[in-house]
Amino acid sequence: MSSDDKRPDEPDAGAPEQLALIRETVRKAEVPRAKPRTWRGATLARELPVARVLVNKGALHLDQYFDYAVPEELDADARPGVRVRVRFGAGGRNVRGGRREGGGLIDGFLVERLAESDYNGALAALASVVSPEPVLGPELLGLARAVADRYAGSLADVLQLAVPPRNARAESKPSPEPLPPRRPPHRAAGSGTDRARRS
């Protein structure tokens, strides 16, 4: 049987050898590395240089926290509960000096500050702190998480309804001191309720 007479559905004896050769070639090929998404020379905060951020994206597959580096100049304002802006997404269009800067700027909430991240790669830096006023406390975050879990929603969607929208004029004024706890009214010894109990 000549090579011209072979049927197309018959397996070729050299196929496994060719596949092994292709695999080896692919393994040895140099893979282009992605350009860093952070500025290598940026000075980070000395204490707790990682910010865990909830991005304001309602997609369920993004219902998680993302880690960002805290630059030194934002260290004082980047406290848990504040609104922040971060770069999020692939961002192939944002190239400066030959480096990708990540995706577009989106809003988020800084949930907590950490000493180190679970993510092994380089972290993108926080772009800015929108307002130094904390608007998301641990109680509200816990309640919003419970509502999102109970009703199969995303945490970002629940927080859009739970946290009032930003009002720059109100934020420019200092926050008032919280009111002292209310004391129960003090009853006199000879009041009418005491007389009713005695009789």
Side-chain angles (χ1 to χ4, degrees):
M1 185 164 139
S2 71
S3 62
D4 296 336
D5 295 355
K6 276 190 177 178
R7 290 185 297 180
D9 58 339
E10 276 186 28
D12 191 14
E17 187 177 305
Q18 288 176 352
L19 284 175
L21 221 115
I22 292 171
R23 282 190 195 116
E24 191 63 31
T25 306
V26 169
R27 285 186 189 133
K28 288 182 180 177
E30 287 189 27
V31 179
R33 294 184 178 256
K35 305 222 172 170
R37 295 175 58 177
T38 58
W39 297 272
R40 294 286 182 203
T43 313
L44 297 180
R46 289 192 178 113
E47 291 183 20
L48 304 176
V50 177
R52 189 149 283 170
V53 174
L54 172 72
V55 294
N56 196 7
K57 290 278 194 182
L60 287 176
H61 69 282
L62 299 176
D63 193 16
Q64 59 184 323
Y65 300 133
F66 294 92
D67 291 348
Y68 286 85
V70 179
E72 191 174 38
E73 62 268 10
L74 298 178
D75 189 20
D77 291 337
R79 296 177 294 156
V82 300
R83 297 176 196 265
V84 293
R85 288 188 60 82
V86 295
R87 291 204 175 274
F88 192 79
R93 296 181 303 257
N94 300 330
V95 178
R96 284 191 191 164
R99 289 192 278 184
R100 288 189 316 158
E101 284 192 359
L105 287 173
I106 63 168
D107 293 326
F109 294 100
L110 197 153
V111 176
E112 65 180 323
R113 295 272 303 264
L114 304 167
E116 56 187 36
S117 173
D118 300 335
Y119 180 66
N120 294 331
L123 297 177
L126 291 177
S128 66
V129 174
V130 175
S131 167
E133 187 74 29
V135 293
L136 180 64
E139 300 87 15
L140 181 58
L141 180 64
L143 178 62
R145 177 80 268 166
V147 169
D149 291 344
R150 171 81 168 108
Y151 296 103
S154 73
L155 183 56
D157 284 341
V158 174
L159 286 176
Q160 282 181 352
L161 300 172
V163 177
R166 180 172 182 258
N167 186 333
R169 185 181 304 167
E171 287 179 3
S172 65
K173 299 175 186 174
S175 296
E177 290 298 319
L179 296 172
R182 197 170 188 187
R183 293 185 211 156
H186 182 67
R187 305 221 181 228
S191 67
T193 55
D194 287 342
R195 286 184 203 145
R197 287 187 198 151
R198 285 188 224 154
S199 40

